[in-house]
Amino acid sequence: MTIHIGANPGEIAETVLLPGDPLRAKWAAETFLHEARLVNEVRGMLGYTGLWRGNRVTIHGSGMGMASLSIYANELIRDYGAKTLIRIGSCGAMQAQVGIRDVILAMTATTLSTPSKGIFRELNFAPHADWSLLRDAAIAAEKRGVPTHVGGIYSSDVFYDERPDLNEIMTRHGILGVEMEAAELYNLALRHKVRALAVLTVSDHLLTGDALPAHQRQSSFGDMVEIALEAAFANA
Ligand code: HPA
């Protein structure tokens, strides 16, 4: 057990999928895993471990924002030995060619700040995804016929942004979408020499104001879970 995770040693798999929403973790575990078992419910942050095509997987909520994700990712990596961590979540599109429901594979994540700022200080570190996961997720997405974009995203500390001018700068520099967790996941993975990737579904569009209707969110989320699982075990 750790401060925030009640699982016993050995109850967390080496491969962990991290949706922001703990109820999404429950739905994904019940939908895609065999023999899924609840291994954490501290503070309602649900985590399940089960089997996918015979491979052990944990699906655990990260909460919203890098401060929350940092707590769970640190404990999963340092105390439970997680080796492959894949964020599955939503993002807002920042390019005209990116559509609602499209998938974005985040090659790198730009930020104003992360919980790692205390370490990096004046350094503009470029947190990036694990190449093999990125490649295998792109292959899995193409096989499924899901419109997919690979490139940079923006990990913001705030959902209610008081600096809309930054969005224009991001769009001008080719940033595909905005979310709130990937950059710190990548920082931690690189620091601890484990693999990480963010697989994101576009839930809203910052340029058009379009948004994914609630009833379509589940099926888009399902595509993302399967892309993440196929990437995680591409060489298993
Ligand atoms: N901003 C930040 N995070 C998000 C957004 C957004 O517009 N959409 C989905 N996650």
Side-chain angles (χ1 to χ4, degrees):
M1 280 175 54
T2 57
I3 296 174
H4 305 94
I5 301 177
N8 292 315
E11 285 186 329
I12 301 283
E14 285 194 357
T15 297
V16 183
L17 268 49
L18 291 163
D21 178 352
L23 291 177
R24 283 271 167 83
K26 178 176 173 12
W27 177 83
E30 288 171 353
T31 306
F32 295 100
L33 303 189
H34 290 294
E35 299 167 22
R37 211 166 57 76
L38 182 69
V39 294
N40 186 37
E41 53 183 338
V42 175
R43 288 174 182 250
M45 194 54 79
L46 306 176
Y48 295 80
T49 297
L51 295 171
W52 182 78
R53 297 186 186 162
N55 302 291
R56 277 185 92 223
V57 187
T58 296
I59 307 183
H60 195 292
S62 70
M64 289 181 281
M66 290 185 269
S68 177
L69 174 131
S70 161
I71 292 171
Y72 296 104
N74 263 294
E75 294 180 12
L76 289 163
I77 296 167
R78 293 169 13 158
D79 299 297
Y80 289 98
K83 299 278 185 254
T84 297
L85 297 96
I86 305 181
R87 161 163 161 68
I88 45 176
S90 61
C91 70
M94 302 181 93
Q95 297 293 329
Q97 80 275 15
V98 177
I100 298 289
R101 292 193 66 166
D102 287 5
V103 164
I104 292 176
L105 304 176
M107 189 155 66
T108 184
T110 294
T111 64
L112 285 185
S113 71
T114 71
S116 292
K117 193 162 185 153
I119 295 179
F120 293 134
R121 299 195 212 183
E122 70 275 32
L123 194 65
N124 285 315
F125 184 71
H128 63 85
D130 176 81
W131 160 243
S132 64
L133 281 179
L134 182 63
R135 175 197 59 204
D136 293 334
I139 293 168
E142 188 168 12
K143 263 196 226 150
R144 301 181 69 76
V146 180
T148 300
H149 310 264
V150 180
I153 61 158
Y154 171 38
S155 295
S156 175
D157 272 333
V158 289
F159 188 89
Y160 298 103
D161 202 339
E162 300 283 347
R163 289 279 310 273
D165 56 315
L166 286 175
N167 291 345
E168 187 274 327
I169 294 170
M170 300 287 168
T171 298
R172 203 144 44 86
H173 288 80
I175 293 291
L176 297 172
V178 53
E179 54 83 78
M180 298 180 65
E181 292 83 14
E184 185 63 359
L185 176 64
Y186 290 2
N187 285 336
L188 291 170
L190 290 162
R191 189 174 309 148
H192 296 289
K193 301 189 170 42
V194 298
R195 305 196 304 163
L197 176 67
V199 180
L200 306 166
T201 299
V202 175
S203 61
D204 53 278
H205 208 299
L206 272 65
L207 304 182
T208 64
D210 291 346
L212 191 62
H215 68 276
Q216 283 183 15
R217 284 176 192 238
Q218 202 92 305
S219 66
S220 297
F221 190 74
D223 277 337
M224 206 165 41
V225 176
E226 292 193 297
I227 290 167
L229 289 167
E230 281 175 26
F233 298 110
N235 301 306

